[in-house]
Amino acid sequence: MSEAVVQVADLTKQFDGVQAVDGISFDVSAGETVALLGANGAGKTSTLAMLLGLLLPTAGTIRVLGIDVVRERERALARVNFSSPYVELPRRLTVMQNLHVFAKLYGVARPRERARAIAADLDLEALLRRRVGSLSSGQKTRVALAKALINAPDVLFLDEPTASLDPDTGDWVRGYLEAYQHRTGCAILLASHNMGEVERLCHRVLMMRKGRIVDEGTPQALITRYGRATMEEVFLDVARGRGHDGTTEAAQ
Ligand SMILES: Nc1ncnc2c1ncn2[C@@H]1O[C@H](COP(=O)(O)OP(=O)(O)OP(=O)(O)O)[C@@H](O)[C@H]1O
């Protein structure tokens, strides 16, 4: 592990009356994969959206690759990318057109060649001429991942990277992400509800509840601390407000 490429301090987001993110701080280092975990509404997507400069924080600072994302979004984003099942790619464009357009948007050298190469890497060649709107959700997820890797980002934000994938394809994508990170040393921050995925891919886990980070550690350290057998069980403890010492939220 090396220097922190994502640095978040006292990050807060309020939507009228809702405290979506409540003063969280964390770092992600180059070569590290970190998970943001928490129940529906815990604040994961809001956090990722602020890191991408899509949502303005109410307070706090975010530096990605040393760049203040709120002030200099464009400069930071050239070396960053993301995929999310909630952000659809243009449906009327074919897979090839999408990858080509995004390669150009990210200022990639030889955009057409890069689009072809990443499509081959992710086994998408048979889909290149299909319109994105006609694809199954699992196929769309793989295209979204190809788009996320089009600029060979140093920092990758992934919201549910294997949502809608069948177990075989999901396993293949996880293996691909592991190998990709090994090769490039990129940092990955991901939100996932798949605890097997988190145990396999993530070096560190940030447990979120009601907008706060309530615990963190390696998957194994958390499993041991909560006296559980799997991350699934740790997740349930945190989501239900049970601390690692067995206390419930009201008593904490
Ligand atoms: N645009 C918005 N306006 C008002 N409230 C919002 C908005 N976006 C999110 N929220 C609220 O902020 C809180 C955090 O939502 P967020 O989407 O960040 O959670 P999440 O952890 O990503 O959940 P999920 O696992 O369901 O995707 C929720 O209470 C949600 O209702």
Side-chain angles (χ1 to χ4, degrees):
M1 303 292 159
S2 43
E3 82 276 22
V5 291
V6 177
Q7 297 164 292
V8 172
D10 302 320
L11 188 64
T12 297
K13 181 68 193 178
Q14 282 164 354
F15 297 103
D16 358 81
V18 179
Q19 188 78 25
V21 178
D22 192 4
I24 63 172
S25 301
F26 63 90
D27 288 351
V28 185
S29 296
E32 190 180 29
T33 300
V34 174
L36 277 178
L37 293 194
N40 295 133
K44 308 173 299 287
T45 301
S46 303
T47 301
L48 288 175
M50 288 190 280
L51 287 167
L52 283 163
L54 300 173
L55 198 60
L56 270 182
T58 308
T61 57
I62 305 166
R63 296 185 84 79
V64 174
L65 298 160
I67 302 165
D68 183 329
V69 170
V70 176
R71 293 202 182 137
E72 292 189 273
R73 175 170 182 265
E74 304 282 315
R75 195 155 77 84
L77 288 191
R79 294 167 61 199
V80 171
N81 213 321
F82 76 101
S83 82
S84 165
Y86 310 114
V87 181
E88 281 231 30
L89 297 173
R91 296 169 58 84
R92 295 169 68 98
L93 298 186
T94 65
V95 171
M96 181 61 193
Q97 286 167 337
N98 259 289
L99 294 178
H100 188 213
V101 165
F102 278 102
K104 291 213 275 192
L105 279 176
Y106 279 98
V108 170
R110 299 172 186 272
R112 198 171 292 279
E113 284 85 341
R114 176 64 187 156
R116 288 228 165 78
I118 198 71
D121 242 27
L122 283 164
D123 206 14
L124 291 169
E125 283 157 311
L127 303 177
L128 278 175
R129 289 167 191 274
R130 295 266 305 273
R131 284 179 200 257
V132 163
S134 76
L135 301 178
S136 75
S137 20
Q139 290 166 336
K140 281 184 195 154
T141 300
R142 263 190 305 145
V143 175
L145 192 58
K147 172 258 154 192
L149 297 172
I150 197 85
N151 60 333
D154 294 320
V155 180
L156 196 50
F157 297 119
L158 301 173
D159 202 353
E160 295 286 344
T162 56
S164 317
L165 296 181
D166 66 66
D168 181 37
T169 312
D171 182 68
W172 186 86
V173 164
R174 283 175 211 117
Y176 182 88
L177 284 172
E178 279 179 319
Y180 178 82
Q181 184 180 57
H182 199 68
R183 197 164 72 237
T184 63
C186 76
I188 301 177
L189 180 66
L190 64 85
S192 177
H193 289 302
N194 181 325
M195 295 304 117
E197 172 165 295
V198 169
E199 282 183 45
R200 171 167 169 188
L201 288 185
C202 297
H203 303 107
R204 204 149 49 86
V205 176
L206 309 173
M207 306 291 313
M208 287 190 78
R209 179 172 158 76
K210 297 183 179 170
R212 297 189 178 174
I213 294 175
V214 294
D215 216 336
E216 67 175 283
T218 63
Q220 196 48 57
L222 286 166
I223 289 167
T224 305
R225 196 177 307 154
Y226 282 75
R228 297 297 187 179
T230 62
M231 274 305 298
E232 186 93 27
E233 293 172 354
V234 173
F235 180 94
L236 291 175
D237 280 346
V238 173
R240 292 170 184 173
R242 282 195 294 260
H244 54 75
D245 52 1
T247 54
T248 55
E249 189 182 54
Q252 281 171 33

